[in-house]
Amino acid sequence: MGRDPDAFAFWHSSQRNDPGLNIALYTNNKVDRLLEEARTTSDKKIQEEKYTQFEKIIKDEIPAVFIYSPEFIYIAPSKIKNIDLGQITSPAERFLNISNWFIDTDHIWQIFSQETTFTN
């Protein structure tokens, strides 16, 4: 789902018909109302409360069996330093702090050396 926990497309009853993503064909008026209220407020605390109530209903009613949750595993050479991937919710996020990555080296390009002299 990504960082935004908006579950509207997957659980709102209006999304049961093609091309909606409510493939469980789930219908619950209270869930519909909670999802609508959560996506129309900008108050993060209210959103969290609405999604917590939504989550409790889904757990109680079990309209689907959740068998898959993707994990992104990335392998990098040990010589690359300062890689901090944190929690990744989409593959593109693996490069969010690439500007902080580096490889220790003893070689310095001539143009970066303090001993560089330029002649005309």
Side-chain angles (χ1 to χ4, degrees):
M1 286 180 36
R3 291 208 184 274
D4 181 6
D6 187 3
F8 185 92
F10 304 101
W11 295 105
H12 195 275
S13 62
S14 69
Q15 302 301 302
R16 290 176 296 156
N17 299 323
D18 189 40
L21 296 174
N22 183 348
I23 59 175
L25 304 178
Y26 181 68
T27 304
N28 181 309
N29 291 334
K30 186 171 183 179
V31 165
D32 287 352
R33 190 177 70 255
L34 289 169
L35 292 174
E36 291 164 6
E37 292 170 356
R39 77 183 333 210
T40 57
T41 183
S42 58
D43 186 325
K44 295 296 181 190
K45 187 167 181 81
I46 292 173
Q47 271 185 343
E48 186 177 329
E49 291 169 4
K50 300 296 179 185
Y51 285 131
T52 299
Q53 292 173 38
F54 156 75
E55 185 179 312
K56 181 179 181 339
I57 293 170
I58 294 296
K59 282 181 179 178
D60 291 344
E61 293 189 358
I62 314 170
V65 177
F66 301 94
I67 58 173
Y68 176 72
S69 179
E71 287 190 26
F72 299 104
I73 300 171
Y74 295 99
I75 299 171
S78 59
K79 67 181 182 178
I80 300 176
K81 306 297 183 201
N82 209 30
I83 295 177
D84 181 19
L85 297 177
Q87 183 179 357
I88 299 173
T89 58
S90 72
E93 291 180 356
R94 69 189 183 274
F95 296 121
L96 286 178
N97 73 343
I98 195 169
S99 61
N100 298 327
W101 300 4
F102 66 92
I103 297 175
D104 278 332
T105 181
D106 291 330
H107 178 75
I108 300 174
W109 289 357
Q110 187 70 21
I111 62 171
F112 295 119
S113 172
Q114 291 180 359
E115 300 169 5
T116 303
T117 57
F118 296 99
T119 60
N120 289 337

